[in-house]
């Protein structure tokens, strides 16, 4: 219903997709969200996120809720996170990252926790990793990647490890050719 870029799209597992945040046509950060219904081919507004955000990460949790993490509020990176509950169509705040970041990844692990990797923060491109525990609503630092990177990709492998590939590093935004395993 609204033009947007820098947003997320997360399948909800019921033929619907959450479309949230991003930038409007005038490049203003937005906090609106909508649901795409594949059966009817329609988009419907589902209200507002707790804060406007762009360049953030999101993943569907084991219970079907969606975790939206970090990003930019339009002027600075944020450490905030929130949960979208599809059954109630509501957004609620949850614990905050230990490091504010954008252009990072979030991967649901086999144990139900979410691995948050890299991105860009106030100090530059990040190498650190955090783990979100949905039972406690908290983030904990769990180490660092060998290479600081943003705008990379992650894939959870069948053996439970996470493959981290590509992205950009350094102040000159040099493309990264390396891969790592978590």
């Amino acid at each position: 219903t609204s033009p947007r870029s820098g947003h997320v799209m997360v399948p909800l597992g019921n033929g619907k997709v959450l479309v949230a945040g991003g930038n409007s046509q005038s490049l203003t950060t937005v906090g609106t969200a909508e649901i795409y219904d594949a059966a009817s081919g329609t988009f419907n507004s589902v209200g507002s996120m707790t804060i406007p955000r762009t360049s953030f990460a999101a993943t569907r949790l084991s219970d079907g809720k969606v975790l939206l993490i970090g990003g930019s509020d339009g002027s600075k990176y944020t450490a905030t996170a929130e949960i979208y509950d599809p059954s109630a169509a509501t957004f609620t705040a949850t614990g905050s990252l230990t490091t504010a970041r954008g252009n990072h990844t979030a991967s649901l692990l086999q144990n139900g926790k979410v691995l948050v990797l890299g991105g860009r923060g106030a100090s530059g491109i990040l190498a650190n990793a955090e783990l979100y525990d949905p039972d406690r609503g908290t983030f904990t630092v769990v180490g660092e990647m060998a290479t600081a990177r943003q705008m990379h990709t992650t894939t959870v492998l069948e053996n439970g490890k996470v493959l981290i590939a590509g992205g950009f590093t350094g102040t000159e935004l040099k493309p990264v050719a390396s891969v790592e395993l978590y």
Side-chain angles (χ1 to χ4, degrees):
T1 60
S2 301
R4 58 181 82 220
S5 64
H7 56 287
V8 297
M9 292 180 32
V10 181
L12 298 176
N14 59 358
K16 297 181 180 179
V17 177
L18 173 68
V19 181
N23 292 310
S24 69
Q25 200 166 9
S26 64
L27 298 182
T28 304
T29 304
V30 296
T32 59
E34 47 195 293
I35 297 292
Y36 173 71
D37 184 331
S40 65
T42 60
F43 287 87
N44 295 298
S45 177
V46 290
S48 296
M49 299 161 43
T50 60
I51 68 162
R53 58 180 85 225
T54 186
S55 302
F56 60 107
T59 192
R60 189 171 62 137
L61 301 172
S62 300
D63 64 3
K65 295 176 181 175
V66 178
L67 176 65
L68 302 102
I69 311 159
S72 170
D73 65 7
S75 63
K76 64 183 180 319
Y77 294 108
T78 181
T80 64
E82 57 190 288
I83 302 282
Y84 174 70
D85 182 347
S87 62
T90 57
F91 291 90
T92 55
T94 187
S96 291
L97 292 158
T98 62
T99 303
R101 66 183 73 221
N103 298 321
H104 52 288
T105 58
S107 300
L108 180 65
L109 303 179
Q110 292 174 349
N111 64 5
K113 295 181 180 181
V114 177
L115 179 66
V116 179
L117 288 168
R120 178 179 281 281
S123 63
I125 299 177
L126 304 169
N128 69 339
E130 300 187 41
L131 204 56
Y132 176 76
D133 183 339
D135 294 332
R136 296 182 180 191
T138 58
F139 288 88
T140 306
V141 174
V142 291
E144 293 206 359
M145 296 181 289
T147 302
R149 57 182 84 213
Q150 69 169 340
M151 301 172 73
H152 51 284
T153 60
T154 56
T155 300
V156 179
L157 304 174
E158 288 183 19
N159 64 6
K161 293 181 180 181
V162 178
L163 178 67
I164 308 151
F168 293 96
T169 194
T171 55
E172 70 284 353
L173 295 180
K174 177 182 170 191
V176 177
S178 67
V179 296
E180 301 182 44
L181 286 174
Y182 171 83

